[in-house]
Every structure is written in C-alpha cells, then in structure tokens.
C-alpha cells in the first residue's frame, strides 16, 4: 500500500517542479523546451486524477471500517495505533489534495504560457508586417528579411534598404 503513496508523492513533486520552472522569470532560453516537455506530460499526468479518487475512496473505506477506540475499550497500544492511523489518513488526504492542485496549476500555467508565447509571436509578426519592426530586424542582423521586404521608412536605397535607418542616422 505504501508504494501508491510514494508514486503519488513523486507525481506531485514533479508537477510542482514543472510549475516552478515554468513560472521562474529569466529562463526564456529554456522556456520553449520546458513548454514542449510539459505539454507532452500533461496527458500522462491526467492519470493522477482517477488515481487520487481511488486513493480517496481507500481512505474513506479505512475510516468507515476502522474499529472505534474510545474510553476504556482499548489498551494504550491500540489507542496509539488508532491515533497513528488517523494521522496517516490526514497526511494522505493532504497529499491527494496537493497532487490535484498541482495538476490543475500545471495545466493552467502551461495553457497561459503557451498563450503568451503565441501572442508574443503574433505581435512580432504584426510589427514586422507594419514596418515598425524594421529597426529590430536590423538590430538582430536579419538583413535578409529587410532586403526581401524592400526596407521601410520610405528611403528605398540599394535593394530597397533604407541605409540611413539601418545605420541609425
């Protein structure tokens, strides 16, 4: 029985680490890879939900069938065992709740990060399409894009590139 809780603990830990990595600022270089890995792991991690429901039913069944240990009907060792069983059930219920919350957070954060990346790409395309992104393209060294578009800003020098704009004059 303990193996189920270990598996659930590792799954919740992996979900927590992925949420943390997706939300840490400054990991822009790794973000695309993290998003791809997380999106591929969301479907297998979905199995955590029915697994948690099964374990929750197991806790309930143990609660209902557990012998009552009140008053002088049990010895001190039985009373200690009863208290220990209650503590384990509470701990396991918290683990179930954490696993479900971390899955929901991972799904939501991944969805939002993907949406933000799509919107950034869309804004960049619109800037390039409108010509306002010309300076950025030149700064990045994407001369091919500038030459292919025919420059911008109305200068239209050699090959359609506005060299005054390119040189920052």
């Amino acid at each position: 029985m303990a193996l189920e809780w270990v598996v659930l603990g590792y799954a919740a830990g992996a979900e927590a680490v992925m949420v943390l990595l997706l939300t840490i600022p400054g990991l822009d270089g790794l973000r695309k890879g993290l998003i791809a890995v997380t999106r591929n792991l969301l479907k297998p991690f979905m199995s955590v939900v029915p697994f948690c429901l099964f374990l929750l039913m197991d806790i309930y069944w143990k609660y209902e069938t557990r012998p009552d240990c009140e008053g002088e009907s049990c010895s001190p060792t039985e009373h200690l065992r009863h208290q220990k069983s209650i503590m384990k059930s509470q701990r396991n219920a918290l683990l179930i709740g954490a696993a479900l919350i971390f899955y929901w957070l991972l799904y939501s954060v991944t969805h939002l990060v993907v949406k933000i990346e799509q919107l950034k790409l869309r804004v960049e395309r619109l800037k390039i399409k409108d010509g306002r992104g010309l300076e950025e393209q030149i700064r990045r060294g994407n001369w091919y894009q500038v030459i292919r578009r025919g420059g911008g800003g109305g200068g239209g020098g050699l090959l359609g590139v506005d060299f005054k704009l390119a040189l920052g004059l």
Side-chain angles (χ1 to χ4, degrees):
M1 262 333 240
L3 183 61
E4 296 167 346
W5 300 107
V6 170
V7 169
L8 186 62
Y10 281 136
E15 291 169 351
V17 167
M18 285 191 282
V19 167
L20 187 67
L21 288 175
L22 283 175
T23 56
I24 289 178
L27 294 179
D28 295 332
L30 298 174
R31 188 139 347 246
K32 284 187 179 184
L34 287 170
I35 291 171
V37 167
T38 305
R39 287 183 78 183
N40 288 333
L41 286 176
L42 278 175
K43 283 186 182 179
F45 274 149
M46 181 63 178
S47 63
V48 166
V49 175
F51 189 60
C52 285
L53 293 176
F54 168 74
L55 292 175
L56 198 58
M57 288 189 310
D58 183 48
I59 289 173
Y60 179 73
W61 178 78
K62 284 181 181 176
Y63 177 76
E64 286 295 321
T65 60
R66 179 175 59 228
D68 287 334
C69 190
E70 295 179 5
E72 296 183 20
S73 64
C74 61
S75 68
T77 56
E78 290 174 341
H79 185 67
L80 186 61
R81 187 179 313 138
H82 182 265
Q83 291 297 322
K84 191 176 180 182
S85 175
I86 290 173
M87 293 290 281
K88 281 184 179 180
S89 295
Q90 291 171 349
R91 178 200 61 199
N92 292 341
L94 284 173
L95 183 60
I96 289 170
L100 291 173
I101 288 171
F102 278 129
Y103 180 77
W104 176 74
L105 281 172
L106 183 63
Y107 178 80
S108 299
V109 167
T110 303
H111 179 71
L112 289 174
V113 169
V114 167
K115 193 71 144 177
I116 288 170
E117 291 295 323
Q118 289 173 346
L119 289 173
K120 282 182 183 177
L121 187 62
R122 189 173 177 188
V123 166
E124 186 69 27
R125 285 183 191 159
L126 287 174
K127 279 184 179 179
I128 291 171
K129 185 177 179 182
D130 289 344
R132 284 181 247 145
L134 182 63
E135 298 89 7
E136 182 69 26
Q137 289 295 323
I138 292 170
R139 219 175 302 127
R140 288 185 180 173
N142 294 342
W143 288 96
Y144 177 73
Q145 293 289 335
V146 175
I147 292 170
R148 197 180 85 207
R149 283 188 48 245
L158 181 66
L159 294 176
V161 177
D162 189 357
F163 285 104
K164 289 181 184 177
L165 182 64
L167 297 174
L169 301 174

